[in-house]
Amino acid sequence: MKIAFVGKGGSGKTTLSSLFVRYLVDRGLPTLAIDADINQHLATALGAGDETAMTLPTLSAHLPLIKEYLRGDNPRIANAEAMIKTTPPGAGSRLLGVVERNPIYDACVREVGGARLAVTGPFAEEDLGVSCYHSKVGAAEMLLNHMVDGPGEYVVVDMTAGADSFASGLFTRFDLTALVCEPTLRSVGVYRQYASYAKDFGIRIAVVGNKVCDADDLTFLREQVGENLLCWIDRSAHVRAAERGAIHPIADLEPDNLAALATLRDILDATDRDWHTYQRHAVEFHIRNANAWAGAELADQVDPDFVPGPHLRPQSEPAVGSYS
Ligand SMILES: Nc1ncnc2c1ncn2[C@@H]1O[C@H](COP(=O)(O)OP(=O)(O)OP(=O)(O)O)[C@@H](O)[C@H]1O
Ligand SMILES: [Mg+2]
């Protein structure tokens, strides 16, 4: 199951991503965390010291390897260079499990605070031929396009602020998009913008209130987002302690906040992914990119009969306990 945390800058996307990852890991569930924000803070939120956070390998620095591996022997992709962020998997492509041993994870996934983490890396201009940071998250988009996760396995992605994520196809890759919303007009404004885009693509959004202090905050959120308010996290002493460098076990999170994380997981688990739609969205964005900038001939990379899914996952070596 794939979940993204989106919302206004500073609303708490990284904080809630890290809490949810730690919640899943604490239950021994197979989980991969991905930091796909330009401001890379997820490692720190998971408990990495500054030096570790600065020296983590990045997905974007390993693009040639990622492309070469995922391409496999798909005859529609002539070589790794021909692969762009939206190139959809087809017959012969390599598909990924959430937890397994493969060259991409060996190179890019590290254990941080007990969680497996991949980071896209800070902004650089040259990736994938497009001079904007959307290309930076291209590596994450490629991984998600080829990820055939099953129920009870989780990919948690900390996304970039605001509605910018709609500039790439990345936002269609999730079973649930958790929109982190503070009880403020500006945060609600981002929610409205996101909700209207999402509707056009049938994207499932759930609002997770954050930094809720009192009944007035809650009333405000309920008035503004109505039944889309799934759950909320109160202003948390546990989170503030983490800001001071004291990361306590997730089991010590305030009970109401823990219950909110459980609600989030329940909703995610109850999602029934339609792999046909999943692939159709991938193909749609690929054709759009091919026509817009990559070259119309890249439409030939689409394998019209291919539908990904966990049943296509190869038997791989069992995952090792630590990637560090
Ligand atoms: N529930 C909470 N209780 C107390 N403090 C919180 C809570 N949620 C977030 N914060 C604090 O709010 C600040 C912003 O949180 P965070 O960095 O998670 O936001 P973000 O949406 O990821 O920001 P950015 O847009 O910069 O990536 C941090 O200092 C964080 O500790
Ligand atoms: Mg953040």
Side-chain angles (χ1 to χ4, degrees):
M1 313 308 288
K2 304 185 182 85
I3 180 169
F5 285 86
V6 302
K8 189 181 85 58
S11 57
K13 300 174 291 295
T14 302
T15 302
L16 267 52
S17 300
S18 69
L19 291 178
F20 194 55
V21 165
R22 290 170 59 216
Y23 175 87
L24 298 170
V25 167
D26 189 53
R27 277 152 188 75
L29 297 162
T31 304
L32 176 65
I34 301 180
D35 191 347
D37 193 357
I38 338 165
N39 302 313
Q40 302 254 293
H41 296 309
L42 187 54
T44 311
L46 287 169
D50 284 348
E51 200 179 321
T52 305
M54 299 274 287
T55 52
L56 285 174
T58 66
L59 292 170
S60 48
H62 291 88
L63 271 175
L65 172 119
I66 292 172
K67 292 178 178 186
E68 190 58 50
Y69 181 75
L70 295 178
R71 178 172 80 93
D73 56 10
N74 182 336
R76 295 168 195 271
I77 308 167
N79 50 52
E81 291 78 57
M83 195 157 165
I84 63 168
K85 59 186 176 178
T86 48
T87 298
S93 295
R94 287 206 180 92
L95 300 169
L96 301 171
V98 174
V99 178
E100 63 178 24
R101 192 79 203 267
N102 66 48
I104 298 178
Y105 292 174
D106 283 350
C108 303
V109 175
R110 293 292 177 271
E111 202 171 298
V112 174
R116 296 167 59 251
L117 172 70
V119 305
T120 53
F123 173 62
E125 300 224 334
E126 70 285 358
D127 305 308
L128 299 163
V130 183
S131 301
C132 73
Y133 74 84
H134 300 127
S135 62
K136 178 57 70 176
V137 297
E141 193 167 342
M142 273 182 209
L143 287 197
L144 295 183
N145 276 337
H146 292 75
M147 181 81 66
V148 285
D149 48 309
E153 301 178 313
Y154 302 88
V155 182
V156 180
V157 184
D158 182 10
M159 297 277 277
T160 201
D164 285 344
S165 356
F166 281 96
S168 88
L170 190 58
F171 74 96
T172 66
R173 304 295 81 200
F174 303 101
D175 299 291
L176 184 68
T177 300
L179 194 131
V180 183
C181 193
E182 294 169 85
T184 66
L185 285 173
R186 285 185 57 207
S187 216
V188 167
V190 170
Y191 154 73
R192 289 199 208 294
Q193 202 182 359
Y194 216 107
S196 77
Y197 287 126
K199 215 165 115 206
D200 297 342
F201 286 89
I203 303 301
R204 204 154 149 252
I205 286 193
V207 176
V208 179
N210 191 28
K211 307 186 196 176
V212 172
C213 286
D214 54 26
D216 286 349
D217 281 347
L218 200 50
T219 306
F220 175 83
L221 276 178
R222 285 198 168 117
E223 279 168 6
Q224 297 289 327
V225 310
E227 62 186 21
N228 276 338
L229 182 65
L230 173 71
C231 57
W232 62 91
I233 303 276
D234 300 322
R235 185 164 284 283
S236 159
H238 180 102
V239 169
R240 290 210 307 279
E243 282 285 313
R244 295 191 296 267
I247 299 192
H248 300 301
I250 190 72
D252 294 348
L253 185 67
E254 295 85 357
D256 286 353
N257 291 339
L258 265 183
L261 298 178
T263 302
L264 200 51
R265 182 187 163 201
D266 288 347
I267 286 289
L268 190 55
D269 284 347
T271 313
D272 200 9
R273 183 178 314 138
D274 175 357
W275 285 101
H276 282 90
T277 307
Y278 196 75
Q279 180 77 352
R280 184 167 53 75
H281 279 151
V283 167
E284 204 172 299
F285 271 89
H286 183 62
I287 304 280
R288 198 183 280 195
N289 276 347
N291 291 331
W293 56 266
E297 71 283 0
L298 287 196
D300 294 344
Q301 293 180 337
V302 174
D303 179 345
D305 301 321
F306 187 78
V307 181
H311 62 288
L312 294 177
R313 202 146 92 188
Q315 292 297 319
S316 65
E317 280 181 61
V320 288
S322 168
Y323 286 80
S324 30

